Amino acid sequence: MILHTPVLLHEVCSFLNPEDKLIVDCTLGHGGHAMALLSIAKNARLVGFDIDQLMMDKAEMRIRAFDVDVANRIDYVHGNYTTIQDVLWSKKADFILNDLWVNLEHFKAVERGFSIRGTAALDMRFDTSTGPTVADILAKYTTDQLRHVFEQYADFSSPKALELAQHIVTTRKQKPIVTTQDLKLLLNDCGLGDKACTVIFQSLRIEINQELENLKTFLSVFPETLNSAWRCIIITYHSIEDRLVKQAFNELVATWNYKLVTKKPVMPNYKEVAINRAARSAKMRILERI
Ligand SMILES: C[S@@+](CC[C@H](N)C(=O)[O-])C[C@H]1O[C@@H](n2cnc3c(N)ncnc32)[C@H](O)[C@@H]1O
């Protein structure tokens, strides 16, 4: 099993109150953060969401092997963290963690189509039980929709995003774009190297999984689920996500019912980045209800 290394683990744990009773981990992944949090808050229960059933099964197995007491204090929810309000219902959380983005395993499991390496069907869905795949959107989206994805989520200039979108639409008339290599070769034709191809793959992943829409929904509902005096931590890995979190937190602070625990986002130090490159773009913001 390829393990995901939890990002800013020490820092996340330092904001937890050991007396907390209800923790929500919006993105359980392989359970690294969840295990550490429950080892500190000995009387807490944790509601752990993951939209990817495969990750959830692995987390469950891993946590049980780690500590049966910790495993018995977790309620697993296979689903979208946007449903947090419905899942908690009348309960209020003392501590919410939302560690966005992908699990390392999503990239390493070549068959899921997230990586430019290897050949696989162009899928990239977190939840493989529902919804269109990236191959589907490359077959159906208009030039304008594709341009929008590349411009907004990959930060490509408007003319370059349009060139890529037009090339996709022309190519698919002759041959469907269904594998990771079909897409990579097409992008290479437009002069993109590996780094730029990775950014385009990432933009399609954000689109197919509605990552920004999910974050926006979460930001509009989580205050209702937070207990009278505790914290919500969000770790982002992309400037658009961080901007959304910063803006939503600032709007809540302006109501006088919340405060920012740290003025600036917490970022991994060079030692963490040296061990875990996936952490290099992480930004953690912490909001406290007062
Ligand atoms: C960065 S990983 C979390 C890693 C975790 N903190 C750990 O320590 O292992 C992000 C996880 O979020 C899940 N995910 C992505 N979008 C989601 C959503 N809308 N709802 C629930 N889970 C989601 C992914 O499947 C992935 O496993």
Side-chain angles (χ1 to χ4, degrees):
M1 171 169 168
I2 304 138
L3 275 184
H4 179 88
T5 309
V7 171
L8 292 164
L9 181 64
H10 172 74
E11 291 81 353
V12 167
C13 290
S14 71
F15 293 108
L16 178 76
N17 178 347
E19 303 303 317
D20 280 349
K21 292 286 180 292
L22 183 61
I23 299 171
V24 177
D25 186 343
C26 294
T27 52
L28 197 62
H30 284 158
H33 284 114
M35 289 190 286
L37 293 169
L38 283 176
S39 302
I40 296 168
K42 301 269 185 222
N43 296 314
R45 286 200 71 79
L46 181 143
V47 176
F49 289 83
D50 205 297
I51 201 162
D52 185 330
Q53 183 70 58
L54 214 71
M55 296 305 152
M56 180 135 281
D57 292 345
K58 289 195 174 166
E60 211 169 336
M61 240 166 43
R62 184 177 178 221
I63 297 169
R64 195 149 287 283
F66 166 72
D67 185 329
V68 176
D69 167 60
V70 165
N72 288 342
R73 288 188 283 133
I74 300 183
D75 299 311
Y76 296 92
V77 182
H78 171 226
N80 199 318
Y81 60 66
T82 55
T83 61
I84 183 170
Q85 227 176 349
D86 298 334
V87 171
L88 292 191
W89 198 49
S90 60
K91 287 184 250 157
K92 297 281 180 197
D94 299 305
F95 187 91
I96 301 177
L97 171 67
N98 196 342
D99 177 23
L100 297 164
W101 219 235
V102 282
N103 203 306
L104 181 65
E105 191 173 336
H106 285 127
F107 291 117
K108 298 285 178 188
V110 169
E111 70 280 3
R112 298 205 48 185
F114 285 86
S115 168
I116 63 164
R117 308 202 189 289
T119 303
L122 265 172
D123 190 326
M124 294 199 217
R125 287 170 300 165
F126 290 145
D127 184 353
T128 52
S129 67
T130 181
T133 64
V134 165
D136 294 329
I137 67 172
L138 290 181
K140 290 191 187 122
Y141 270 25
T142 62
T143 306
D144 203 46
Q145 285 174 307
L146 290 168
R147 182 197 51 76
H148 176 82
V149 171
F150 303 145
E151 205 179 326
Q152 293 300 309
Y153 308 151
D155 267 343
F156 272 53
S157 68
S158 200
K160 190 69 190 173
L162 180 63
E163 182 196 331
L164 295 181
Q166 283 170 335
H167 193 45
I168 287 170
V169 171
T170 312
T171 306
R172 76 186 181 198
K173 285 183 188 147
Q174 289 135 29
K175 180 178 169 290
I177 306 155
V178 286
T179 71
T180 49
Q181 286 316 299
D182 291 342
L183 178 59
K184 184 167 179 262
L185 290 175
L186 182 155
L187 297 172
N188 291 157
D189 279 350
C190 295
L192 270 57
D194 279 5
K195 209 169 161 195
C197 287
T198 303
V199 178
I200 290 293
F201 270 55
Q202 175 181 293
S203 69
L204 290 163
R205 191 205 78 221
I206 293 173
E207 173 73 7
I208 202 72
N209 292 297
Q210 296 286 291
E211 293 177 38
L212 298 179
E213 294 312 314
N214 288 336
L215 177 59
K216 284 181 199 162
T217 305
F218 173 78
L219 290 169
S220 68
V221 300
F222 87 86
E224 292 302 316
T225 65
L226 202 56
N227 215 342
S228 51
W230 216 242
R231 289 171 175 166
C232 174
I233 293 185
I234 306 184
I235 307 176
T236 63
Y237 298 84
H238 191 291
S239 56
I240 307 180
E241 289 174 341
D242 184 57
R243 226 176 296 135
L244 290 173
V245 175
K246 184 179 173 186
Q247 189 186 341
F249 279 13
N250 283 342
E251 281 169 14
L252 288 167
V253 168
T255 67
W256 299 98
N257 294 321
Y258 299 85
K259 70 170 189 189
L260 295 174
V261 177
T262 58
K263 256 198 180 136
K264 294 208 162 156
V266 178
M267 293 193 272
N269 60 29
Y270 72 93
K271 283 188 201 154
E272 177 168 359
V273 176
I275 299 167
N276 180 16
R277 260 185 66 73
R280 66 192 182 285
S281 47
K283 281 189 180 170
M284 174 166 96
R285 295 188 185 267
I286 311 117
L287 185 80
E288 183 174 311
R289 190 160 181 160
I290 42 180

